[in-house]
Amino acid sequence: MRSYSPDLTPPWKKKQAPVPEVPAETDLVVEEASTGFCGAVIRCEKTAEGPTVTLEDRFGKHRVFPLAPRGFLLEGKVVTLVRPSASAPVRPARTASGSLAVPGARARVARTGRIYVEGRHDAELVERVWGDDLRIEGVVVEYLEGIDDLPAIVAEFAPGPDARLGVLVDHLVPGSKESRIAASVTHPDVLVVGHPYIDVWEAVKPASVGIGEWPVVPRGQDWKTGVCRALGWPENTGAAWQRILSGVRSYKDLDPSLLGSVERLIDFVTAP
């Protein structure tokens, strides 16, 4: 015998429980309920179709959504975003990596775990964008000057559950020398990730450096010297790097392939 619910009210007529109204203040991080797009509030605007909010995700992509009732998730809970009042308090600033800044936070005592990068330029770029986050987490970044001896370096580090090691590799593409070296490291407490570029210079967006694109350097030439030559810069790679680094102000100036890799390493070495 078929049973029926005693409540025969059509679902569309039922009242939904009220949810909190939250001012859409700048830098508030929310998720749009229907698409799953997650980002920080950039601005709210009046339009002919009604008020909207613009969100920016961690890769710098912008999406515009209507301020619909029950339209967003804040820390996993459904909320209704509303336009902030003119007197709304200013939210905390963001770090260069896009994380919310923690005012007055002190650097944590360094963890046993480490992140290794190939060279000084890699280390300086990671510091420029993720330095605040790394200090709060107590993560030290060291550079190796190449990864040819990576298996031996890993063995010397002696990783373990309380001393995880993350390694960032340049030119980590199928068939490369770097990919073969990375594949030889299979320790469960070591994570090797990378980006596809020959050098970390290329992970900086050309527009941030004031160039149209990164030049193609013929095989057999020193890549950095070739870049300087092709761009008409003095063939001083140290000075060229300072010029490139000065164009990096936040994660928005970096290619997503590098962003994702560094975030994975930080999560890996700080996991409980």
Side-chain angles (χ1 to χ4, degrees):
M1 186 180 202
R2 183 177 298 178
S3 61
Y4 294 90
S5 167
D7 184 1
L8 301 180
T9 307
W12 58 272
K13 281 192 174 181
K14 292 182 180 179
K15 284 188 176 180
Q16 293 180 307
V19 299
E21 291 189 349
V22 177
E25 298 166 7
T26 301
D27 286 333
L28 177 71
V29 178
V30 295
E31 177 182 337
E32 202 279 327
S34 63
T35 63
F37 185 90
C38 184
V41 173
I42 300 300
R43 59 182 172 272
C44 287
E45 297 176 299
K46 284 184 177 179
T47 71
E49 291 75 29
T52 64
V53 61
T54 301
L55 304 183
E56 179 184 66
D57 71 6
R58 64 189 295 179
F59 301 119
K61 182 179 181 180
H62 289 192
R63 292 277 300 273
V64 180
F65 299 101
L67 286 179
R70 310 174 65 91
F72 298 86
L73 302 179
L74 176 61
E75 297 180 351
K77 297 181 179 179
V78 178
V79 298
T80 296
L81 288 188
V82 296
R83 297 185 69 203
S85 64
S87 59
V90 177
R91 294 186 62 81
R94 289 173 124 5
T95 68
S97 71
S99 303
L100 286 178
V102 182
R106 295 183 178 182
R108 177 174 174 166
V109 175
R111 296 172 181 266
T112 308
R114 291 287 189 273
I115 291 177
Y116 284 172
V117 298
E118 288 203 52
R120 181 171 60 85
H121 293 178
D122 305 69
E124 290 179 351
L125 187 60
V126 170
E127 163 63 27
R128 173 64 61 93
V129 176
W130 288 275
D132 291 337
D133 308 66
L134 293 168
R135 280 183 283 278
I136 290 175
E137 295 289 352
V139 178
V140 175
V141 176
E142 300 180 9
Y143 63 90
L144 306 173
E145 293 294 359
I147 64 160
D148 288 350
D149 299 321
L150 185 59
I153 291 168
V154 170
E156 182 180 358
F157 181 83
D162 297 323
R164 289 183 163 189
L165 177 62
V167 184
L168 181 69
V169 177
D170 297 340
H171 199 226
L172 193 61
V173 296
S176 67
K177 175 193 75 172
E178 291 82 1
S179 67
R180 291 191 294 272
I181 294 172
S184 69
V185 178
T186 57
H187 196 288
D189 296 306
V190 179
L191 175 64
V192 182
V193 297
H195 57 78
Y197 301 113
I198 293 173
D199 190 274
V200 77
W201 287 19
E202 275 193 294
V204 179
K205 292 180 179 178
S208 299
V209 187
I211 60 177
E213 60 182 359
W214 288 105
V216 176
V217 178
R219 278 179 166 281
Q221 289 189 27
D222 176 72
W223 189 84
K224 291 176 180 176
T225 303
V227 166
C228 294
R229 189 175 299 136
L231 294 175
W233 296 353
E235 292 182 21
N236 180 330
T237 58
W241 170 241
Q242 291 307 312
R243 178 173 181 169
I244 295 165
L245 188 61
S246 68
V248 178
R249 297 172 181 81
S250 76
Y251 70 97
K252 299 176 185 178
D253 296 304
L254 302 182
D255 184 84
S257 63
L258 178 64
L259 294 175
S261 291
V262 176
E263 295 285 354
R264 284 182 64 195
L265 292 178
I266 295 173
D267 290 345
F268 181 76
V269 300
T270 59

